Amino acid sequence: MKIRDFCEIMERIAPRALAMEWDRVGLLIGTDRKEIKRVLVALDLTVPVAEEAIAGDYDLVLTHHPIFLEPVTAISPDRFETAAAYRLIRHGIGMFAAHTNLDAAQGGVNDVLAGLLGLIDIQPLPPENLGRMGALKEPVPFSAFTEMCASMLHTEARIVGDTNDPIRSVAVIGGAGGGDVAHVAMAGCDAFVTGEMKHHQALEAAYLGLHCCVLGHYETENIVLKPLIDRLQKESFDVQYFLTQSGNAPLPCPEGGTRNE
Amino acid sequence: MKIRDFCEIMERIAPRALAMEWDRVGLLIGTDRKEIKRVLVALDLTVPVAEEAIAGDYDLVLTHHPIFLEPVTAISPDRFETAAAYRLIRHGIGMFAAHTNLDAAQGGVNDVLAGLLGLIDIQPLPPENLGRMGALKEPVPFSAFTEMCASMLHTEARIVGDTNDPIRSVAVIGGAGGGDVAHVAMAGCDAFVTGEMKHHQALEAAYLGLHCCVLGHYETENIVLKPLIDRLQKESFDVQYFLTQSGNAPLPCPEGGTRNE
Amino acid sequence: MKIRDFCEIMERIAPRALAMEWDRVGLLIGTDRKEIKRVLVALDLTVPVAEEAIAGDYDLVLTHHPIFLEPVTAISPDRFETAAAYRLIRHGIGMFAAHTNLDAAQGGVNDVLAGLLGLIDIQPLPPENLGRMGALKEPVPFSAFTEMCASMLHTEARIVGDTNDPIRSVAVIGGAGGGDVAHVAMAGCDAFVTGEMKHHQALEAAYLGLHCCVLGHYETENIVLKPLIDRLQKESFDVQYFLTQSGNAPLPCPEGGTRNE
Amino acid sequence: MKIRDFCEIMERIAPRALAMEWDRVGLLIGTDRKEIKRVLVALDLTVPVAEEAIAGDYDLVLTHHPIFLEPVTAISPDRFETAAAYRLIRHGIGMFAAHTNLDAAQGGVNDVLAGLLGLIDIQPLPPENLGRMGALKEPVPFSAFTEMCASMLHTEARIVGDTNDPIRSVAVIGGAGGGDVAHVAMAGCDAFVTGEMKHHQALEAAYLGLHCCVLGHYETENIVLKPLIDRLQKESFDVQYFLTQSGNAPLPCPEGGTRNE
Amino acid sequence: MKIRDFCEIMERIAPRALAMEWDRVGLLIGTDRKEIKRVLVALDLTVPVAEEAIAGDYDLVLTHHPIFLEPVTAISPDRFETAAAYRLIRHGIGMFAAHTNLDAAQGGVNDVLAGLLGLIDIQPLPPENLGRMGALKEPVPFSAFTEMCASMLHTEARIVGDTNDPIRSVAVIGGAGGGDVAHVAMAGCDAFVTGEMKHHQALEAAYLGLHCCVLGHYETENIVLKPLIDRLQKESFDVQYFLTQSGNAPLPCPEGGTRNE
Amino acid sequence: MKIRDFCEIMERIAPRALAMEWDRVGLLIGTDRKEIKRVLVALDLTVPVAEEAIAGDYDLVLTHHPIFLEPVTAISPDRFETAAAYRLIRHGIGMFAAHTNLDAAQGGVNDVLAGLLGLIDIQPLPPENLGRMGALKEPVPFSAFTEMCASMLHTEARIVGDTNDPIRSVAVIGGAGGGDVAHVAMAGCDAFVTGEMKHHQALEAAYLGLHCCVLGHYETENIVLKPLIDRLQKESFDVQYFLTQSGNAPLPCPEGGTRNE
C-alpha cells in the first residue's frame, strides 16, 4: 500500500473538511508515493517517538498533533521545534497528522472519550462540534464521577465544583478544552470532562456552577489511539499498525502520588 | 488612612515600574479619596470574595489578579466578567491589584515561593526577572523534591522528568510559567517549579531535559498572601488586613485523591 | 415590570437589528431581573444625570448614547469615562442605550426631526438608512428654512450655501452627520439638516452645492426624547418615565447671543 | 524670486521640523524652479480660490490646509478631492501648505490667536506645543470673555460652562482642538478657545469644569493670514502677497442670526 | 465625440468588471465632459509620451498601465511619480487606462499575444483568466519555438528548459507573469511565454519542468496597441487614434546584441 | 573540522550583523556538531544541487540564497519549496546560507562584481551599503561598457539609456537591484549594473537619466562563488570546497541568441 492509499483511508475516518480552518492536517513529512508496511501511531511526534520509528523500521508515523506549532525557516536536529521532524526525514519516514478532524470525527477522540465514560445519547457539542455531550445512565455524585473518570484514564483529577452534587449530563472535550467552559454551561451540562483548564477558566466554571473534571491533555486524548489502530487495521491488509512504546504522558502524576496526608 | 496612602505603601512593596507593559495594576475600582479601615486580601476578585467583602464590611479588596481579562463595554451582575466588580461598586468597596509587579518584587510571589522551598542563593530569573532561581542546600532525588514541593503547597504535582535524577538548582515561577521552559533550561537549572504548563510546553521541557514540578496556579501564588498581609500590617496602624475565607483553590485535587491504586 | 420586560418593549420600538455593527446598545449597566418603577430618560449618561437619578429614586436610566466610548479596564468615580457609570452602579440603578437603532427606527430620532421640520413624503436616506429625506410642502428661501430650523430647535444655525436659494427637498441626520454630505448630495436633496459638520465637510458641501443647516449635536437629537417617553408610557402601566432635568445642551449658544452687531 | 527662495523664507517662518509626523506640508503642486511675482494666500485651496488665482494671474497659492485628505489615484476636475488642484496645475500655478508647522510656529496661528485675545505670558501648550496658553490681564466673567472672543473673531460662540464664572488663564488651539480638552484642563487653564468641539468632548469639558468657547474652525485660523502676509512681504521685495477674496468662512453664522427671541 | 462616449466604447472592449480588484482603470486624468478629436495610444504615460501628446495637440492619452503605482499626496513636474501626469493636466489632456481588464478581454493583450504566436484552441488560463492557453499547430523543438517568439516580438529571449524538448501546448501572460508559473504547470502546458520572471520563479519553473520563454514586459504587451487602435477606429468616426512614437521598450536588448561569441 | 568551526570562518568572511533584518542566514539545515570534509558551493539549493551533493558525498552545501522564501509547515520531497531541503536532510547533509551579509561584506558579491568590471575607488553604495560604487579608469561609451559587462559575465544585457553616452561612475548591485534606481541616481552614478529590473523601474531609470545594464540575477551573483571558495580554502586545511556543477543560470540567454537579424 502506498501512503496515497493510507491518506484515502484516513480521509474516510477523519475527513479534512472537519478540521478547523487554522489547523494543519494530512501528510506533513514525506511523499505519498512511498510504499508502507509498518505504521507507528502516537499522540505527538517527539524525539523518542521518532527514534522508536527509526529503530523499529517504520515507514510512517501517524499522530494527533501536527509538527511545527509555528512555521519554520530552518530545520535542525538540535532544536525542539524541528528535532523529531529532522530525524524522520533523515531516515525516510513519513508523518501524517489527524488533529481537529479526528477530534470531531465519528469514532474520534471525543466519541471514544464519551464512550469510555459510559455516556449515552451522545451528540456533538455546539457550537464547534469538536466535543461531545451525553448522559450518564443514572445520576452519580460528582465525587464518584470524578473517581470513575480518573480510574478509566489511569490518572488523577483536578476538579471544579461540590463533590456531593449529582451529575447526570456530561460534556467531553479531550485536550485543552478549558476555553469552552461557557459553551458547555450554555449546553446545559452538569459536568465537563477535559484535559487542560487555565486558572481563570476554572473561576468561570465555578461562577457558572459547572462541575469540571480535568484529567490531563495526554490522558484525555491518548485513548483514541487503540480504537484508531483497530479501525485502520481492518481497512489495510498489507500494513501493520503499532501503538508507540515511547509516547508516555509528558506531564503525569508521579507514581504513588505526592500528597503526604 | 485613605486609599491614597495605601497606594503609596503598595508602591514601596510592589512598584508599578516592575509590572509588565501589558499588565493592569493599581486601583482598578473606586476612588483613592476614600477612608479605609478593613482590607480583604485574596488572589482573585471572585463573586464569593466580593460577597465576603460586603458581608464583612470591608473597604477595599487587594488581589493579585486584575479584573477584566478583556476591557469591558457593559457592567452586569449576571456575567462572569463583571459580576464581582459590580457587587463591589454597588457597595462602595474599592479594589487594588498587584500582579506582575508583585511577582517580580522583593518579598513577592516568587521570592516567597523560593523561600518556602528552601532555596538559597536566590536571584532573579532572566530574562524578565519575574521568577527566581536558587539552589537546594544539598542535592535530592527529583522524587523527594516533588514530594517536598507538593507537601509544602498542600497539593499534588504533575511532573516532567525522571524521578531518580538528582536536583540541585531550581527555578520557580508562580502561576502560569510553562512558557518559560526554554528560559529556565538556558539558565541551567535542574528543575522548574510552576503552577500551569501546557502539553507542548511539557514536551519541550522533556526534550530539554528539564525536570518540572507543576503544582497549580492558585497553589503556587496563594502563598504570597500571608507574608504580604504581615508586611502591610506593619506599615498601617489604623487599618486591618484579613485573608479571605472564600478564596479556595478553584481547581484543587479532590480530597483523598482520585487514583484507585 | 422587570427590566427584562422593558427590554422587550424597546426591542419593538428600536430593534437591535437596526443598530450599526460597531454600536453598543441594550442593557449596559445592571441586571434585567430588576423590578422598575421610575425611568429617567436623557441623551447622555453624565454625572448630573446620574445624580438626578439617584436623588429622584429612579430604577433605570434610558439614554441615546452608550457609555464607554472605548472599552474600560478600571472603574473610577474620578475619571470622566466611568464617573457616571460608577454612580449608577453604586446606587443599583440600571442603564439602557438605544443609539443607532433609535436613529434608524420608525418614530426614532430622524423621523421625529423630519416631522418637526414639516417634511412630507419622508423616506429613509440611503445608503445606511439612519437618516431621513423628504420635501417641504412648498419651496422656501434657504434663509427662511434656516430660521425655521433654528426656531424649531431653539438654537442658532451655522450654514453652508446661499441664503436666497429656494429649498424644497431636505435630508436630516441628527447628531454628527457631516460625513454623509456626499450621500445627501447624491440623493438629490437641496438642503441637509444635521448636528455636527467638520470644516472640510462644509467645504465639500459647498463644492457640491448642498445647502447645510448645522444646529448642534444635542439639539438635533434631544427632540426624540419626549415622543419616546410618550410611546413608552403607553406600553407600560406600572412604570413612569421622566425627562431628565439635568440634560441641557453641553455646547449651547450663549443666551442673548454673542454677536455684537 | 523663485519658488525655491519662497520655500526658504517659509522654512524660517514655519520650519518643517515643527509639523506633526502625519502632516503633509511644503510645495504640494508644481516646481520650485518657477519664478513668482504674485502669491495668493488662503486657508484652503477651494475651487473659488483656484479660480481667483487663475483670474488674477497668480503664480502660487499659499494655504494652511494641505490638499488631498487622502492620497489620490486619479485627478479629475469634477471631483471635490482634486477639482481645485486640477485647476491650479492646468494653469501652471503652484501651491504650498504650512499646516501644523504654522500652528506651532512663533507668530503662527495660535500665537496670533492668543495675541488677538489679549493674552499675556504666552507659552506653548503641552504636550504637543501646537497651541498656546496665557493669562488675561485681569479676570473677567466667562460671559464677557465669550462676547470678547466672538467679537474679535466676528462670529458667534458655542460655549461650555457657567457664564458667571471668572476667567483668568486661557488656552487656545485654532481649528479642531476639541480632542485636547483633557490636556488643557491638566494645564490648569480656566478657559479653552478653539474652533471645533465634538459632543462628547464638550461633555468631557463640562465634567472637568473647563470653560470652552467654540468659535468655528475657519474663524480661529483665518486670523493668521494677514500677519503671515505682512511677514512674508517684509522678506520679499519682488513678490506681492494678496489675501484671497474667495476664502469666506465655509460654515458661518447666518447674517442677522437665526434666533427668534 | 466626448470622453464620456469614448469611455462607453472602451467599456465594450475591456469591461471594468474584468479588472482585478486592486487595479485602477478608467479615466484617471481629466473630465469626461471634454470633446476629443485626437487620441494618443501608448503602453505607459511617460514624460516623452506626455510631451508627444502636447506637441501633437492630442486630447486624450490611452495607456495600458495606470499612473501612480502608489497613491500620491503632491503633484510635481520634477518627480518621476507625477511628472507626466502634471504635464498632461497642465495642457488639458485627459488620460484613460485599460490594464488588467485589457489583459483579460477578448481581443486584449493575451488574446493578441496568443494569436501572434500562432496558437489554436485558445482558452482563458485558470485561475484568474487574464492569460491564455492554446496549442501549436504541430510540435516544435523548444529552440525553434523560442526563436519564433523572439522573432515575432523583435527581441531576444531568456529561457528555462531544454532547447531540444518538443513543445505543443503553450500558455501566455503578457507583462510580469512569473508569479503564475505553478498555475501554468498545473494547467498542463509545455511552455510558458511571458514578459518578466524573477530568479526564484525561474527555479520553480525548472523544478516543475515547465519551459519558459521570457521576452520583456514591454515586448509582450506592446503588441496589443495596434489591434486596439484598429478596433477603436472602427467605432469612432470623428476621432483619430495614433500609436505613440515615444513609447519604445524601456529595457531593450542593445542593437547587435552584447554577446561576444 | 566541525560545522561549528566553519560557521566561525564564515562569520569572519560575512558577519551576520551585516545581514538585513528580514534575512535568514547561517546554518539552516543540520547540526553544527557534524564533522565535515567536503563542501559544495552554489548560488541556490535546488534539487540538482542537492542531488549532486548526495552523489558526491558532500557534508555541507553553502549557498547564497536561503531556503524557504516563506516559512513552511510541512516538508515534502514533491513540492518545490521543500524538495531540495528534504533531500539534504534525508542524506544527513547540512546547509548554510550567506545572503545579504555576503552582498555587503568586504570581498562579497558586490565587491567581486565591482572588481570584475574594473572599477576603482570602490565604496559602499548608500543608504544600505549592500552595493558598491566606483569609477572606470577612463570614460567609455555606454555601448562599449555594456559589451564589456556582458562579456565579463558571459551573458547578454538589457539596457536603459543612450548607447553613445559616456560612462565614468558606476554602481553595482548583484541580483534584484532594480528597486534602488533612485538611490543610485541620487549617488550621482552614470551607470547602474544589476541583475533584475522591473518594467516601471526601467521607466524610472530612464526618467532619471540613469544608464542601466541588466545582466541576470544569477549572472551578477554567481561570480562571488569562486573567490569565496578560494578564501574559505585558505582558512581550512582539512576541508575541501567545490563549485557546483549543477548550478547553471536558471534563466539564460539561449546559446547562439534568439534574434534573427
Side-chain angles (χ1 to χ4, degrees), chain D residues 28 30-31 33 72 75 78 90, chain E residues 28 30-31 33 72 75 78:
Chain D
L28 300 182
T31 171
R33 295 174 282 102
V72 301
I75 299 176
D78 303 333
R90 181 72 179 92
Chain E
L28 299 182
T31 172
R33 295 173 283 102
V72 301
I75 300 176
D78 303 333

Side-chain angles (χ1 to χ4, degrees), chain B residues 28 31 33 72 75 78 90, chain C residues 28 30-31 33 72 75 78:
Chain B
L28 299 181
T31 172
R33 296 174 282 102
V72 301
I75 299 177
D78 304 332
R90 180 73 180 90
Chain C
L28 299 181
T31 172
R33 295 174 282 104
V72 301
I75 300 176
D78 304 332

Side-chain angles (χ1 to χ4, degrees), chain F:
Chain F
M1 189 168 92
K2 289 198 184 307
I3 288 184
R4 183 171 305 139
D5 307 308
F6 171 84
C7 290
E8 280 176 23
I9 297 173
M10 281 304 299
E11 181 65 21
R12 290 196 295 276
I13 293 175
R16 291 179 80 98
L18 294 180
M20 297 286 101
E21 202 183 343
W22 49 260
D23 207 359
R24 293 190 290 271
V25 300
L27 186 66
L28 299 181
I29 293 177
T31 172
D32 64 1
R33 295 175 282 102
K34 181 185 160 91
E35 192 71 27
I36 55 174
K37 289 217 165 352
R38 290 165 60 80
V39 176
L40 185 63
V41 181
L43 211 62
D44 289 281
L45 177 60
T46 59
V47 168
V49 165
E51 288 175 346
E52 180 185 358
I54 294 161
D57 206 16
Y58 286 92
D59 305 300
L60 182 69
V61 178
L62 166 62
T63 67
H64 182 41
H65 292 127
I67 43 168
F68 306 160
L69 283 179
E70 299 293 329
V72 301
T73 60
I75 301 176
S76 161
D78 303 332
R79 282 203 294 258
F80 171 60
E81 294 80 4
T82 54
Y86 181 93
R87 281 161 176 77
L88 281 203
I89 301 170
R90 181 73 180 90
H91 290 84
I93 302 169
M95 186 262 182
F96 184 103
H99 189 210
T100 50
N101 47 340
L102 188 61
D103 286 330
Q106 257 195 309
V109 171
N110 291 310
D111 255 6
V112 169
L113 182 54
L116 200 69
L117 303 183
L119 300 189
I120 55 175
D121 299 332
I122 297 173
Q123 314 166 51
L125 174 72
E128 286 189 332
N129 297 334
L130 297 185
R132 293 292 185 272
M133 58 189 200
L136 294 170
K137 272 160 209 145
E138 54 188 39
V140 298
F142 185 45
S143 58
F145 178 73
T146 295
E147 273 179 42
M148 183 271 286
C149 291
S151 170
M152 293 303 293
L153 299 182
H154 306 291
T155 185
E156 297 185 33
R158 283 188 174 249
I159 60 170
V160 178
D162 189 324
T163 52
N164 299 314
D165 291 344
I167 302 301
R168 175 92 200 218
S169 60
V170 175
V172 302
I173 298 182
D180 282 283
V181 152
H183 294 148
V184 172
M186 188 164 304
C189 296
D190 300 328
F192 179 27
V193 175
T194 190
E196 278 185 35
M197 182 169 289
K198 297 185 67 63
H199 177 72
H200 72 269
Q201 295 165 343
L203 292 174
E204 185 173 6
Y207 174 82
L208 294 168
L210 178 66
H211 299 79
C212 299
C213 186
V214 182
L215 295 150
H217 194 119
Y218 173 90
E219 290 84 349
T220 54
E221 292 187 332
N222 193 49
I223 40 87
V224 77
L225 298 184
K226 279 194 186 150
L228 177 61
I229 287 174
D230 291 347
R231 189 150 164 209
L232 281 164
Q233 198 62 71
K234 272 189 210 135
E235 306 212 27
S236 331
F237 298 102
D238 55 349
V239 171
Q240 280 184 296
Y241 298 87
F242 297 88
L243 184 63
T244 179
Q245 307 296 313
S246 325
N248 301 315
L251 199 58
C253 304
E255 267 180 69
T258 50
R259 202 144 42 165
N260 292 338
E261 281 155 315

Side-chain angles (χ1 to χ4, degrees), chain C residues 45-121:
Chain C
L45 177 60
T46 59
V47 168
V49 166
E51 288 175 348
E52 180 185 359
I54 294 161
D57 207 17
Y58 285 93
D59 304 302
L60 182 70
V61 178
L62 166 61
T63 68
H64 183 42
H65 292 126
I67 44 167
F68 306 158
L69 284 178
E70 299 292 328
V72 301
T73 59
I75 300 176
S76 161
D78 304 332
R79 281 203 296 256
F80 171 60
E81 293 80 4
T82 54
Y86 182 93
R87 281 162 176 76
L88 282 203
I89 301 170
R90 180 73 179 90
H91 290 84
I93 302 168
M95 186 262 181
F96 185 102
H99 189 210
T100 50
N101 46 340
L102 188 61
D103 287 330
Q106 258 195 309
V109 171
N110 292 311
D111 256 6
V112 170
L113 182 54
L116 200 70
L117 302 183
L119 300 188
I120 56 175
D121 300 333

